[in-house]
């Protein structure tokens, strides 16, 4: 069979605006049929918007789209479907209470009335043919993330898709899960499906893709480039941009782009034994709707130390933070902050002992978006006063303004709503509140998620500064590169337990194996 | 545009929209809209004595509405102001009965305290149900209104029944004139002083204490405040109790002021109008003062509607409802307008 290399997708001068923000500007690319195309860029580069344009979820303000040579207006999911385009979202969109078979049927055409067993008989062969190891009767919520993703892909392929787009599929996976995903993608390529992968890490691009396209700030930087003809360093520069590259050290640059694994952090050998700021002894909790139970967790963090927590999302990282923050009941074990037992103490008492939290959900747990900046900023210190203490808002607002300026937050005035800030600036407001002089133990939960390069390296530097001041930090991230870059020690969480601990130099394959339970 | 100006404009626009809607409705129904508006303007503010009438209605409304604003602002939708108003009045009436014969300097403060405690007690149980078991306070406080209405009927027809009453309407024995804090016109230095104290105290509480900032944050995003280590149940319980106490205080003022006795089902719309006032005022104490004056004016105009425009006085309830309709729909509507107008409404 002759290989068909005609373009499956072309676009010219595509521009997308959300309100005042231009998400994509004059992007024009051509993707050839039957290949694996990577689209890379930092957060805010426009990758997801690009994927949504292809899938018909966003109608461009300007520009032209062509699928297999035929023009499309864009902005219609049905048109894109008919052209054979399917998108697998970054955050999974399958209804958790559905069975796998029901989820399959949901995306398919044809059929009206089905019994459950008929549905299962219909879809089991499809799942088997894609090597998704799952029973069609299982419920989505009971499946591990990797299988869920397999089901998502299988669902996208129910209607003979010719162009499959995966939006950051590796973000939720362990290194091993990523490898399995890549095998699956290669098999799809063999079945003549063109795949567009939205990716974050150069290492992954070079491992899987035939071509790479780089976006930065909503513009096309270059591409599609042949992956055999580009090296990691060159690609890193394209992604970060020449201006930003200058301010970064080599390890940070590598961690930002995943061009190479940072094998060792900056090891500091301290002669004096440092005081511990956190000591958890055999801590167990109960499972609840927000995550699995902690099972016999021992963890010590010393002053001036950053402990990275690696693990596939949903393995108890959230429960760990909530347990230290007294937001979930500890049923067994003890917990001490700065040497004082706080096992039975409320969060207010633990905060008084020096606990600070940069929560997972910036916009829900970290800030009240419809409240003013100064109210958000002052909440922590106000809570250390009596409930009826008199305050002078003007003084607080002045102190808030001074703090926000010190933390380089871009804002108009302290009375503006927190929701009007960009993600990076919003995170800086939280940092300015939580990384104060009296902090001793800082829980940083996914502090760089969704931030652009500048904000990400700002957060890293803030964490290093806090460490230099003698704080102990717990750093939770799903990005192994940044964990390795920042952390003095790395622990791995699996099913609510700490299953392994690593010291520099870090071995990504060993950490990855621990994340999936294959201890070496 | 400052945020404050925007919210004032919002309130004015929605009130005007409500009035316009009613004008159109009544015009279509065969009444005269111009005459209706004339009657409202005259009856509320322009006629001699109208302003006095408007104040008579707006002062108790202001007391209840500040409480409602405080609890709504903290994220607790206490819509039981009507019930708390009744129970407050009943508690004060019992206190007056019990202390009957004692000097006014003792009886009046005792009745006020008792009325506030009664109102707070009627907010305590829905508050505890919400905080301890998660029972929706909208449902419990709403049901509490009906219960309180029945309690009021029982009291006026039973323990405090006026034996000389006609039997037409159950009512309690009239209060001794020495214990009244105003005549039936409902305006006196005492009532004005009570209103001033309430206004200043609640303003200070909201704007000059940690409770004010934290309850405002908790009302908009309780999760964030919990992650800061706040014991949100304390904020919640305080909001319930204060709003109940203020509704109870308004009931006491009505009892000891213009009414002078309990009557079964008196001022049936008081608590709901107070909720409307708090919503229109966007939970600001200063705003509540102005909006209460406006709705007090509407209440006063109810007398003039039948005379001047031939409308039943219940037309005022229709106007209130129309304003409520717009004000509760305001957020999405304003957002849509803001989008169409290219975000000129977005505050800096």
């Amino acid at each position: 069979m002759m290989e068909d290399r005609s373009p499956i997708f072309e676009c010219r001068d595509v521009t997308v605006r959300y309100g005042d923000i231009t998400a994509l500007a004059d992007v024009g690319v051509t993707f050839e049929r039957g290949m694996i195309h990577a689209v890379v860029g930092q957060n805010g580069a426009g990758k997801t918007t690009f994927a949504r344009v292809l899938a018909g979820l966003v109608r461009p303000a300007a520009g032209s789209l062509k699928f297999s040579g035929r023009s499309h207006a864009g902005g219609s999911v049905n048109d894109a479907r008919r052209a054979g385009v399917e998108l697998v979202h970054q955050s999974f969109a399958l209804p958790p209470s559905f069975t796998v078979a029901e989820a399959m049927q949901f995306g398919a055409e044809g059929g009206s009335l089905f019994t459950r067993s008929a549905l299962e008989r219909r879809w089991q062969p499809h799942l088997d043919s894609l090597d998704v190891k799952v029973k069609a009767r299982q419920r989505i919520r009971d499946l591990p993330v990797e299988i869920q993703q397999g089901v998502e892909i299988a669902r996208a392929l129910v209607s003979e898709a010719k162009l499959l787009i995966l939006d950051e599929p590796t973000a939720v996976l362990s290194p091993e899960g990523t490898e399995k995903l890549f095998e699956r993608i290669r098999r799809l390529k063999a079945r003549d499906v063109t795949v567009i992968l939205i990716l974050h890490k150069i290492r992954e691009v070079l491992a899987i893709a035939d071509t790479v396209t780089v976006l930065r700030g909503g513009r096309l930087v270059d591409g599609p480039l042949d992956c055999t003809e580009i090296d990691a360093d060159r690609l890193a520069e394209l992604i970060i941009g020449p201006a930003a590259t200058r301010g970064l050290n080599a390890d940070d640059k590598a961690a930002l782009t995943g061009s190479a694994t940072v094998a060792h952090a900056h090891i500091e050998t301290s002669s004096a034994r440092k005081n511990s700021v956190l000591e958890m002894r055999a801590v167990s909790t109960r499972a609840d709707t927000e995550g699995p139970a902690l099972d016999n967790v021992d963890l010590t963090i010393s002053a001036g130390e950053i402990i990275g927590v690696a693990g596939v999302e949903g393995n108890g990282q959230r429960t760990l933070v909530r347990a230290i923050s007294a937001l979930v009941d500890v049923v067994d074990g003890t917990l001490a902050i700065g040497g004082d037992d706080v096992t039975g103490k409320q969060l207010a008492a633990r905060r008084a002992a020096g606990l600070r939290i940069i929560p997972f959900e910036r916009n829900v747990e970290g800030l009240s978006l419809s409240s003013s900046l100064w109210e958000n900023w002052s909440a922590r210190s106000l809570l250390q006063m009596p409930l009826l203490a008199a305050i002078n808002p003007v003084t607080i607002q002045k102190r808030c303004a001074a703090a926000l300026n010190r933390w380089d937050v871009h804002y108009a005035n302290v009375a503006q709503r927190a929701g009007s800030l960009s993600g990076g600036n919003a995170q800086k407001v939280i940092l300015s509140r939580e990384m104060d002089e009296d902090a001793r133990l800082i829980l940083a939960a996914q502090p760089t998620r969704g931030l652009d390069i500048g904000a990400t390296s700002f957060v890293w530097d803030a964490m290093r500064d806090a460490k230099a001041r003698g704080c102990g930090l717990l750093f939770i991230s799903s990005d192994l590169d940044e964990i390795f870059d920042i952390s003095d020690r790395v622990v791995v969480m699996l099913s609510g337990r700490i299953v392994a601990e690593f010291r520099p130099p870090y071995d990504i394959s060993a950490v990855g194996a621990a994340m999936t339970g294959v201890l070496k | 545009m400052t945020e404050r100006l925007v919210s004032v404009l919002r309130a004015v626009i929605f009130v005007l929209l409500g009035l316009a809607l009613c004008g159109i409705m009544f015009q279509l129904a065969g009444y005269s809209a111009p005459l209706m508006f004339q009657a409202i303007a005259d009856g509320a503010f322009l006629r001699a004595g109208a302003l006095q009438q408007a104040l008579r209605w707006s002062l108790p409304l202001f007391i209840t509405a500040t409480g409602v604003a405080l609890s709504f602002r903290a994220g607790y939708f206490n819509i039981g102001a009507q019930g708390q108003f009744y129970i407050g009045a009943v508690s004060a009436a019992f206190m007056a009965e019990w202390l009957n014969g004692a000097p006014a300097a003792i009886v009046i403060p005792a009745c006020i305290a008792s009325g506030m405690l009664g109102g707070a007690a009627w907010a305590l149980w829905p508050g505890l149900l919400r905080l301890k078991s998660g029972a929706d306070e909208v449902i419990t406080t709403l049901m509490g209104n009906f219960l309180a209405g029945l309690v009021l009927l029982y009291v006026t027809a039973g323990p405090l029944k006026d034996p000389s009453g006609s039997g037409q309407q159950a009512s309690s024995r009239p209060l001794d004139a020495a214990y009244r804090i105003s005549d039936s016109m409902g305006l006196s230095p005492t009532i004005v002083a009570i209103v001033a104290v309430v206004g200043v105290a609640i303003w200070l509480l909201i704007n000059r204490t940690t409770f004010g900032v934290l309850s405002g944050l908790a009302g908009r995003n309780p999760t964030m405040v919990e992650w800061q280590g706040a014991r949100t149940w304390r904020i919640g319980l305080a909001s319930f109790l204060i709003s109940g106490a203020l509704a109870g205080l308004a009931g006491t003022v009505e009892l000891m002021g213009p009414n002078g006795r309990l009557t079964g089902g008196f001022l049936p719309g008081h608590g709901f109008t107070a909720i409307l006032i708090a919503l229109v005022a966007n939970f600001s104490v200063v705003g509540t003062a102005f909006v209460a004056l406006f709705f007090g004016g509407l209440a006063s105009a109810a007398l003039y509607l039948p005379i001047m425009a031939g409308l039943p006085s219940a037309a005022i309830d229709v106007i209130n409802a129309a304003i409520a309709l717009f004000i509760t729909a305001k957020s999405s509507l304003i957002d849509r307008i803001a989008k169409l107008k290219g975000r000129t409404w977005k505050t800096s």
Side-chain angles (χ1 to χ4, degrees):
Chain A
M1 190 177 90
M2 278 291 292
E3 276 194 85
D4 182 4
R5 283 285 177 247
S6 64
I8 191 164
F9 173 76
E10 293 176 76
C11 65
R12 293 281 160 269
D13 308 320
V14 168
T15 298
V16 175
R17 285 188 202 96
Y18 299 123
D20 305 334
I21 299 155
T22 303
L24 282 179
D26 305 325
V27 171
V29 280
T30 304
F31 290 130
E32 283 177 26
R33 197 177 298 278
M35 298 176 97
I36 299 172
H37 303 282
V39 175
V40 293
Q42 280 297 314
N43 290 318
K47 292 171 304 196
T48 294
T49 303
F50 183 67
R52 292 168 66 86
V53 168
L54 261 69
L57 289 162
V58 173
R59 191 194 189 100
S64 64
L65 308 174
K66 266 187 193 173
F67 291 104
S68 303
R70 294 182 49 192
S71 285
H72 278 255
S76 159
V77 177
N78 286 334
D79 283 356
R81 276 244 164 93
R82 245 171 269 131
V85 181
E86 286 286 344
L87 169 67
V88 175
H89 290 270
Q90 188 170 4
S91 48
F92 299 147
L94 296 176
S97 62
F98 275 32
T99 66
V100 172
E102 285 165 348
M104 292 286 131
Q105 182 63 30
F106 197 50
E109 286 181 8
S112 47
L113 273 175
F114 282 101
T115 62
R116 182 166 279 182
S117 60
L119 273 186
E120 283 158 14
R121 278 197 306 279
R122 178 172 182 194
W123 293 114
Q124 192 67 55
H126 176 70
L127 293 162
D128 294 343
S129 75
L130 289 165
D131 201 27
V132 181
K133 292 187 178 59
V134 67
K135 292 269 181 291
R137 86 176 72 90
Q138 284 181 283
R139 294 205 182 269
I140 301 293
R141 61 167 173 250
D142 298 331
L143 304 174
V145 275
E146 286 159 38
I147 304 288
Q148 274 192 40
Q149 191 174 54
V151 173
E152 280 270 11
I153 293 172
R155 190 203 54 76
L157 293 174
V158 295
S159 55
E160 294 303 307
K162 296 184 181 61
L163 178 62
L164 182 66
I165 310 156
L166 301 172
D167 189 5
E168 304 231 12
T170 59
V172 291
L173 300 179
S174 65
E176 205 161 83
T178 302
E179 200 37 61
K180 279 193 192 136
L181 170 74
F182 286 175
E183 274 166 36
R184 182 166 284 153
I185 291 171
R186 286 188 198 103
R187 276 200 298 277
L188 289 178
K189 182 185 172 187
R191 285 170 57 156
D192 235 14
V193 178
T194 310
V195 181
I196 295 178
L197 288 169
I198 310 293
L199 289 175
H200 200 88
K201 295 196 176 293
I202 291 171
R203 185 175 350 102
E204 293 168 357
V205 172
L206 297 180
I208 179 80
D210 299 313
T211 79
V212 57
T213 301
V214 182
L215 296 177
R216 193 196 317 134
R219 295 186 174 275
L220 178 72
V221 178
D222 209 345
L225 302 163
D226 192 332
C227 280
T228 54
E229 287 167 15
I230 188 163
D231 65 13
D233 281 343
R234 173 83 191 110
L235 201 45
E237 243 178 73
L238 289 178
I239 293 173
I240 297 179
T245 311
R246 265 173 256 128
L248 290 169
N249 72 42
D251 280 354
D252 281 359
K253 193 172 109 185
L256 273 171
T257 58
S259 60
T261 305
V262 182
H264 67 92
H266 329 283
I267 315 162
E268 280 150 37
T269 47
S270 63
S271 49
R273 183 177 155 68
K274 284 173 179 158
N275 304 325
S276 76
V277 290
L278 175 74
E279 260 183 86
M280 294 176 80
R281 290 281 159 266
V283 168
S284 296
T285 66
R286 288 197 192 89
D288 58 20
T289 51
E290 291 186 49
L294 291 187
D295 180 5
N296 214 11
V297 168
D298 283 299
L299 182 65
T300 303
I301 302 177
S302 301
E305 186 181 40
I306 301 179
I307 306 290
V309 179
V312 177
E313 254 177 73
N315 273 288
Q317 296 94 325
R318 200 178 151 75
T319 318
L320 179 66
V321 170
R322 289 168 65 226
I324 301 173
S325 310
L327 293 171
V328 63
D329 290 334
V330 170
V331 294
D332 208 9
T334 61
L335 216 147
I337 292 174
D340 300 325
D341 188 352
V342 294
T343 314
K345 296 261 179 69
Q346 299 274 330
L347 175 52
R350 297 186 188 191
R351 276 188 174 273
L355 174 66
R356 300 289 182 268
I357 312 160
I358 301 162
F360 288 93
E361 304 288 336
R362 177 157 59 234
N363 297 338
V364 182
E365 294 153 1
L367 294 172
S368 168
L369 295 187
S370 55
S371 304
S372 69
L373 289 179
W374 74 266
E375 287 171 304
N376 272 292
W377 177 84
S378 63
R380 187 186 59 76
S381 49
L382 292 184
L383 271 162
Q384 283 165 1
M385 300 194 239
L387 204 48
L388 284 178
I391 55 164
N392 182 350
V394 177
T395 319
I396 296 180
Q397 285 161 9
K398 273 186 191 146
R399 288 197 353 244
C400 172
L404 296 186
N405 291 337
R406 223 169 26 248
W407 282 86
D408 197 27
V409 180
H410 298 285
Y411 67 101
N413 68 71
V414 291
Q416 89 188 77
R417 291 174 181 211
S420 60
L421 296 184
S422 70
N425 276 311
Q427 187 71 320
K428 284 182 193 174
V429 174
I430 297 178
L431 298 185
S432 75
R433 183 181 68 207
E434 305 290 339
M435 297 180 117
D436 63 317
E437 297 293 306
D438 301 326
R440 296 175 79 180
L441 170 63
I442 298 171
L443 310 180
Q446 302 280 15
T448 63
R449 175 176 279 175
L451 302 187
D452 62 18
I453 305 167
T456 298
S457 60
F458 186 96
V459 171
W460 290 347
D461 289 342
M463 290 175 62
R464 290 176 179 133
D465 288 349
K467 168 185 156 172
R469 283 203 309 271
C471 289
L473 292 97
L474 186 74
F475 174 41
I476 293 164
S477 170
S478 45
D479 185 336
L480 284 180
D481 289 310
E482 68 168 353
I483 287 188
F484 291 168
D485 187 26
I486 302 281
S487 310
D488 300 302
R489 248 187 318 140
V490 172
V491 295
V492 175
M493 287 199 79
L494 179 66
S495 309
R497 285 177 301 130
I498 289 184
V499 292
E501 180 177 328
F502 297 90
R503 284 170 191 280
Y506 300 116
D507 174 356
I508 191 167
S509 65
V511 175
M515 283 166 68
T516 46
V518 198
L519 283 170
K520 286 182 181 167
Chain B
M1 255 193 293
T2 69
E3 197 148 337
R4 190 168 299 163
L5 189 59
V6 169
S7 70
V8 169
L9 272 178
R10 258 182 195 180
V12 170
I13 286 171
F14 286 116
V15 167
L16 289 180
L17 276 174
L19 288 172
L21 179 70
C22 289
I24 293 168
M25 262 181 355
F26 288 127
Q27 185 73 41
L28 290 178
Y31 299 97
S32 158
L35 270 181
M36 179 188 92
F37 288 124
Q38 182 69 44
I40 290 174
D42 277 9
F45 305 110
L46 300 178
R47 285 275 170 100
L51 191 62
Q52 203 181 6
Q53 269 294 310
L55 270 175
R56 175 261 174 271
W57 293 112
S58 60
L59 293 179
L61 279 172
F62 171 78
I63 298 176
T64 305
T66 47
V68 172
L70 185 88
S71 76
F72 275 40
R73 189 176 166 276
Y76 296 95
F77 296 95
N78 173 15
I79 59 170
Q82 183 66 27
Q84 291 140 18
F85 172 79
Y86 280 163
I87 297 295
V90 167
S91 310
F94 270 108
M95 182 58 80
E97 178 79 7
W98 187 54
L99 291 178
N100 203 4
I106 295 173
V107 176
I108 291 171
C111 285
I112 288 174
S114 158
M116 292 179 78
L117 279 175
W122 206 247
L124 175 67
W125 62 267
L128 287 178
L129 281 175
R130 155 75 194 261
L131 297 165
K132 296 295 170 194
S133 69
D136 191 329
E137 77 275 18
V138 173
I139 307 292
T140 53
T141 54
L142 187 64
M143 295 199 304
N145 289 338
F146 296 108
L147 291 176
L150 293 172
V151 169
L152 177 67
L153 271 182
Y154 166 74
V155 169
T156 50
L160 295 182
K161 184 173 166 37
D162 180 3
S164 66
S166 63
Q168 285 266 329
Q169 196 173 24
S171 63
S172 70
R173 283 180 290 275
L175 236 58
D176 191 306
Y179 303 151
R180 295 280 295 271
I181 56 175
S182 82
D183 58 14
S184 59
M185 292 303 289
L187 279 181
S188 72
T190 315
I191 292 182
V192 171
I194 290 173
V195 166
V197 168
V198 167
V200 170
I202 300 298
W203 188 88
L204 284 174
L205 185 66
I206 288 178
N207 295 296
R208 288 290 183 274
T209 67
T210 52
F211 174 85
V213 176
L214 294 174
S215 64
L217 280 169
R220 291 171 188 269
N221 183 353
T223 311
M224 175 260 174
V225 185
E226 268 157 35
W227 280 79
Q228 286 300 309
R231 277 171 288 176
T232 41
W233 68 267
R234 293 205 310 174
I235 294 173
L237 200 57
S239 312
F240 269 108
L241 292 180
I242 295 170
S243 63
L246 288 178
L249 176 62
T252 310
V253 166
E254 281 289 349
L255 168 77
M256 306 183 75
N259 280 277
R261 60 162 70 185
L262 290 179
T263 315
F266 77 117
L267 301 188
H270 175 88
F272 300 101
T273 308
I275 292 172
L276 186 53
I277 291 171
L279 287 172
V280 174
N282 204 14
F283 315 147
S284 124
V285 175
V286 177
T288 300
F290 287 106
V291 180
L293 190 61
F294 173 76
F295 279 89
L298 282 186
S300 151
L303 285 178
Y304 290 79
L305 279 178
I307 306 164
M308 289 182 61
L311 277 161
S313 55
I316 289 298
D317 294 338
V318 179
I319 293 173
N320 282 359
I323 295 170
L325 196 70
F326 282 105
I327 214 78
T328 47
K330 71 176 180 180
S331 47
S332 59
L333 190 71
I334 274 285
D335 287 350
R336 225 165 293 161
I337 294 170
K339 233 173 223 170
L340 290 176
K341 292 264 171 196
R343 304 180 160 206
T344 47
W345 283 68
K346 197 160 181 182
T347 51
S348 59

